[in-house]
């Protein structure tokens, strides 16, 4: 089978990420004797520099870890709603939705502490070892990918008129960053340099003490103080008004990243591991649970129709049952009997245009007023306008749909990690002048209706779209993968995984590149997670490579099909390890011309 690139194979280490500089930085750490977790931290901080439109230090990152000598765990780097972020407070400001930009949308930043916890507990390198790559690119510059300039161009007027600290970096000469010309962020380089110096002064030569000192600086030192000052500055957001945020020093001091058991589902000898119901991860698992015992031919109209309709059911359940404000009935949602009953709702000849959440425990599903309205077809956001969300679609006010980065790493010892950094985008909030990066906007995922699993609740995580994946074969970690793309993440990943599981091997190993390159698609037939939280009933966006016959048959069955570019759907990364031979593999998405796999 022809693929855009080879599936890499080797025995020393493999890295795949959404940016080639992050991949190579991670590989440099492996070459220097570091393990997969050291390499992941270095790559994560490089992604903050080279994909600032997709993630930042004040965003969030869920990870799934498979240490060679331990059990699979989720490391949660998703911060919670601040103590002052109540439904009453936002309603008192006249809001029905959390704005998509500005400090009101800022959760407690989670990414930094999660990276530090990973380095402390599973890494071997020092803080300076892993930060030097990001510091170098921020201080000396990097040639920006085209999407950075395109994003800045979209919000140029906002930056120039309202967000001068952002304009200082991203409109430095009055123009957006241009490919081939160096983009620098000296303030960010200075932040990490000062952090490292303070950590070394406090921790001496002890690696763990240095990391703990850095965590204290983030939560209570100069970084925390600057973040709170920024949150208190009135900022123009997507509501059209200027608001201040709710983040306080007490919020920063009281939160830290944490470990938890993954949600899992067994399918045909595989065990799929995802984050829990505070993410959309179980929706991936439920799409597998909804599959019939026998599948149609891969890539056929029957196959695509089946996956689209199953996705609609899983995402309807996500809308009704997922969140962190109330317990999520994940076991019931993944149970055999529940999904056997749900499977009967799929009409093999007709696309559903309805939002149909189920009742896994016999309780009536509850939806927000906004979700009920957009499901009923009331005017609002039209998902067809932003087909192909492998990169963010950004409005002039900074509202973003389809975002994020991803990285996967496996090392010669068998350690494996998948991480999906996001939030804190350059278009989400003004750059904190003293720090060189903005606050995040993840609270836009929560509803301003009381009593829902995803209601805005102080101390609780907003439901996130971020959803890395790790798969075991016969109980042994084999595959780590993921993708950017907001609500599309657990659609594209299902398609990828099934292609890996169903379509055979290459050179004796999993055909990762072939599965990534395969024509992809997604549906927006459920309320979106990003402001303004719209829905397009019956929609499906496909790559033109899916084929005219398949597209015509989908339309005959009632799907509202938008045909995107040939290479417009998905930005998957993947690494694998064969436990029998120790052979490592990696592949990366060619779409967008920046993801890359490296290894030897």
């Amino acid at each position: 089978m022809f693929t855009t690139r080879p599936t890499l194979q080797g025995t020393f280490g493999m890295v795949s990420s959404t940016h080639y500089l992050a991949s190579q930085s991670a590989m440099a750490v492996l070459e220097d004797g570091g393990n997969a977790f050291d390499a992941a931290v270095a790559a994560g901080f490089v992604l903050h520099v080279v994909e600032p439109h997709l993630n930042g230090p004040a965003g969030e990152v869920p990870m799934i870890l498979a240490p060679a000598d331990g059990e699979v765990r989720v490391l949660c780097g998703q911060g919670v709603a601040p103590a002052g972020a109540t439904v009453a407070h936002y309603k008192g400001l006249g809001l029905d939705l959390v704005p998509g930009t500005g400090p009101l949308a800022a959760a407690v930043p989670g990414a930094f502490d999660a990276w530090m916890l990973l380095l402390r507990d599973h890494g071997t390198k020092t803080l300076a070892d892993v930060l030097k790559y990001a510091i170098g690119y921020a201080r000396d510059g990097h040639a920006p990918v085209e999407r950075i300039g395109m994003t800045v161009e979209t919000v140029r007027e906002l930056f120039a008129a309202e967000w001068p600290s952002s304009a200082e970096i991203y409109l430095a000469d009055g123009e957006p960053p241009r490919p081939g010309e160096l983009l620098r962020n000296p303030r960010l380089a200075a932040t990490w340099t000062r952090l490292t110096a303070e950590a070394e002064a406090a921790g001496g030569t002890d690696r763990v003490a240095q990391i703990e000192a850095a965590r204290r600086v983030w939560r209570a030192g100069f970084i925390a103080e600057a973040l709170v000052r920024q949150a208190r500055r009135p900022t123009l957001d997507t509501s059209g008004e200027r608001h201040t945020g709710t983040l306080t020093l007490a919020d920063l001091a009281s939160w830290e990243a944490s470990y938890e058991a993954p949600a899992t589902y067994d399918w045909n000898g595989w065990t799929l591991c995802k984050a829990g119901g505070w993410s959309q991860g179980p929706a991936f698992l439920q799409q597998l649970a909804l599959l019939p015992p026998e599948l149609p031919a891969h890539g056929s109209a029957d196959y695509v129709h089946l996956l689209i309709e199953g996705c609609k059911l899983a995402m309807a359940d996500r809308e009704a049952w997922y969140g962190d404000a109330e317990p999520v009935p994940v076991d019931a949602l993944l149970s055999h009997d529940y999904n056997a009953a749900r499977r009967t709702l799929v009409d093999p000849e007709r696309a559903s245009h309805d939002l149909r959440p189920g009742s896994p425990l016999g309780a009536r599903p509850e939806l927000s007023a906004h979700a009920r309205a957009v499901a009923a077809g009331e005017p609002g956001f039209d998902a067809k306008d932003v087909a192909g969300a492998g990169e963010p679609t950004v409005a002039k006010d900074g509202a973003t749909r389809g975002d994020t980065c991803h990285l996967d790493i496996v090392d010669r010892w068998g350690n494996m990690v998948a991480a999906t950094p996001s939030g804190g985008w350059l278009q989400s909030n003004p750059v904190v002048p003293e720090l060189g990066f903005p606050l995040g906007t993840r609270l836009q995922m929560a509803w301003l209706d009381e009593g829902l699993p995803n209601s805005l609740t102080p101390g609780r995580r907003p439901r996130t779209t971020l959803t890395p994946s790790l798969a075991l074969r016969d109980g042994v970690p084999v595959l780590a993968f993921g993708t950017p793309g907001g609500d599309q993440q657990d659609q594209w990943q299902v398609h990828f995984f099934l292609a890996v599981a169903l379509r055979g091997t290459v050179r004796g190993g999993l055909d990762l590149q072939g599965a990534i390159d395969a024509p992809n698609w997604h549906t927006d037939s459920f309320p979106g997670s990003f402001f303004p939280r719209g829905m397009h009933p019956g929609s499906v966006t496909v790559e033109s490579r899916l084929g005219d016959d398949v597209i015509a048959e989908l339309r005959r069955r009632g799907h509202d099909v938008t045909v995107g570019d040939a290479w417009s759907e998905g930005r998957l990364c993947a690494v694998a390890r064969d436990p029998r031979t120790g052979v490592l593999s990696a592949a990366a998405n060619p779409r967008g011309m920046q993801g890359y796999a490296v290894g030897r």
Side-chain angles (χ1 to χ4, degrees):
M1 174 183 174
F2 172 79
T3 58
T4 58
R5 305 166 181 176
T7 295
L8 306 183
Q9 291 187 319
T11 56
F12 179 81
M14 289 285 162
V15 179
S16 180
S17 88
T18 49
H19 198 290
Y20 46 85
L21 293 180
S23 294
Q24 188 52 45
S25 297
M27 196 67 203
V29 174
L30 294 180
E31 296 285 3
D32 194 42
N35 65 21
F37 308 117
D38 296 311
V41 178
F45 280 90
V46 169
L47 286 172
H48 297 160
V49 179
V50 300
E51 290 195 313
H53 59 311
L54 300 174
N55 79 136
E60 43 275 325
V61 57
M63 312 179 206
I64 302 186
L65 322 176
D69 58 352
E71 60 183 348
V72 176
R73 301 290 285 172
V74 171
L75 175 50
C76 175
Q78 173 57 64
V80 299
T86 64
V87 168
H89 175 64
Y90 286 64
K91 290 283 193 178
L93 296 172
L95 298 171
D96 294 318
L97 291 175
V98 178
T101 62
L104 274 179
V108 177
F112 178 86
D113 199 60
W115 290 124
M116 290 298 99
L117 210 60
L118 180 65
L119 184 65
R120 184 195 72 182
D121 296 343
H122 298 281
T124 65
K125 294 292 188 179
T126 68
L127 187 66
D129 289 335
V130 296
L131 283 181
K132 65 183 180 183
Y133 305 94
I135 291 173
Y137 286 125
R139 181 191 61 227
D140 304 326
H142 64 97
V145 295
E146 289 82 354
R147 273 288 181 175
I148 296 178
M150 294 168 65
T151 300
V152 174
E153 179 61 42
T154 303
V155 291
R156 178 205 289 260
E157 294 179 7
L158 176 68
F159 281 15
E162 296 284 346
W163 297 5
S165 57
S166 299
E168 182 179 349
I169 295 171
Y170 296 108
L171 293 171
D173 58 358
E175 294 295 329
R178 291 179 286 269
E181 297 186 9
L182 292 178
L183 172 61
R184 296 181 173 88
N185 190 339
R187 178 53 55 194
L188 178 58
T191 296
W192 296 146
T193 300
R194 179 178 172 183
L195 173 77
T196 302
E198 291 193 11
E200 290 176 345
T205 59
D206 185 284
R207 189 186 75 89
V208 171
Q210 288 181 14
I211 295 168
E212 286 300 312
R215 297 177 74 201
R216 289 193 296 272
V217 170
W218 180 273
R219 293 207 292 262
F222 78 94
I223 292 178
E225 292 169 355
L227 290 173
V228 171
R229 279 195 298 272
Q230 183 62 46
R232 292 173 177 168
R233 292 186 178 109
T235 302
L236 182 67
D237 59 37
T238 53
S239 72
E241 303 291 335
R242 290 176 177 81
H243 292 114
T244 57
T246 61
L247 185 68
T248 66
L249 287 172
D251 295 318
L252 286 163
S254 63
W255 184 87
E256 60 182 71
S258 59
Y259 297 98
E260 59 189 56
T264 63
Y265 185 76
D266 294 331
W267 184 84
N268 286 10
W270 295 84
T271 299
L272 282 299
C273 301
K274 302 289 285 187
W278 53 270
S279 76
Q280 70 175 359
F284 176 108
L285 306 179
Q286 190 178 355
Q287 287 175 79
L288 296 182
L290 285 164
L291 294 175
E294 298 292 330
L295 296 179
H298 184 276
S300 66
D302 287 342
Y303 179 85
V304 176
H305 174 80
L306 177 69
L307 293 186
I308 292 169
E309 295 305 295
C311 174
K312 292 174 186 176
L313 293 173
M315 289 301 195
D317 279 343
R318 181 195 75 162
E319 196 54 54
W321 299 105
Y322 291 20
D324 197 35
E326 297 181 15
V328 180
V330 172
D331 289 345
L333 287 165
L334 298 179
S335 67
H336 176 272
D337 290 348
Y338 178 71
N339 286 288
R342 296 284 277 161
R343 195 179 302 129
T344 64
L345 298 177
V346 175
D347 185 335
E349 288 296 317
R350 199 69 191 163
S352 170
H353 288 222
D354 298 323
L355 187 68
R356 299 180 291 177
S359 301
L361 295 175
R364 188 180 70 164
E366 295 288 345
L367 298 173
S368 71
H370 184 87
R372 291 196 302 271
V374 297
E378 293 191 9
F381 176 67
D382 188 344
K384 288 180 68 177
D385 294 338
V386 290
E391 289 274 10
T393 300
V394 180
K396 290 184 177 181
D397 58 9
T400 303
R401 177 183 180 275
D403 56 280
T404 308
C405 309
H406 188 79
L407 64 88
D408 302 301
I409 304 175
V410 60
D411 64 28
R412 63 189 185 273
W413 301 289
N415 299 302
M416 188 178 291
V417 57
T420 309
S422 186
W425 316 305
L426 66 86
Q427 66 274 16
S428 65
N429 259 302
V431 166
V432 182
E434 305 93 326
L435 302 178
F437 59 84
L439 288 164
T441 53
R442 192 59 56 174
L443 290 187
Q444 67 177 290
M445 308 277 164
W447 293 115
L448 296 182
D449 296 50
E450 299 279 12
L452 301 174
N454 193 32
S455 296
L456 181 66
T457 308
R460 298 293 184 179
R461 295 167 289 193
R463 189 193 74 208
T464 178
T465 55
L466 308 176
T467 175
S469 301
L470 198 140
L472 291 71
R473 186 72 173 168
D474 299 321
V476 180
V478 168
L479 176 65
F481 59 100
T483 180
D487 293 314
Q488 286 73 57
Q489 290 179 38
D490 278 321
Q491 302 183 57
W492 293 333
Q493 290 186 73
V494 167
H495 309 161
F496 163 80
F497 170 72
L498 290 176
V500 168
L502 299 174
R503 296 181 68 190
T505 63
V506 57
R507 288 198 292 277
L510 299 173
D511 184 12
L512 303 183
Q513 194 65 52
I516 287 173
D517 287 356
N520 220 324
W521 66 90
H522 80 268
T523 178
D524 292 293
S525 194
F526 50 85
S529 296
F530 295 89
F531 181 91
R533 312 299 300 273
M535 171 176 170
H536 189 102
S539 73
V540 58
T541 300
V542 306
E543 290 182 331
S544 60
R545 294 182 297 125
L546 195 64
D548 293 343
D549 290 347
V550 173
I551 292 169
E553 178 59 20
L554 292 174
R555 285 176 169 154
R556 187 194 69 78
R557 298 186 196 193
H559 295 278
D560 187 358
V561 180
T562 297
V563 180
D565 293 339
W567 296 89
S568 55
E569 290 283 311
R571 286 176 63 211
L572 281 145
C573 302
V575 300
R577 179 178 183 271
D578 186 333
R580 298 177 301 105
T581 63
V583 171
L584 312 178
S585 303
N589 172 57
R591 301 163 179 87
M593 300 297 288
Q594 65 186 68
Y596 233 83
V598 296
R600 71 171 178 88

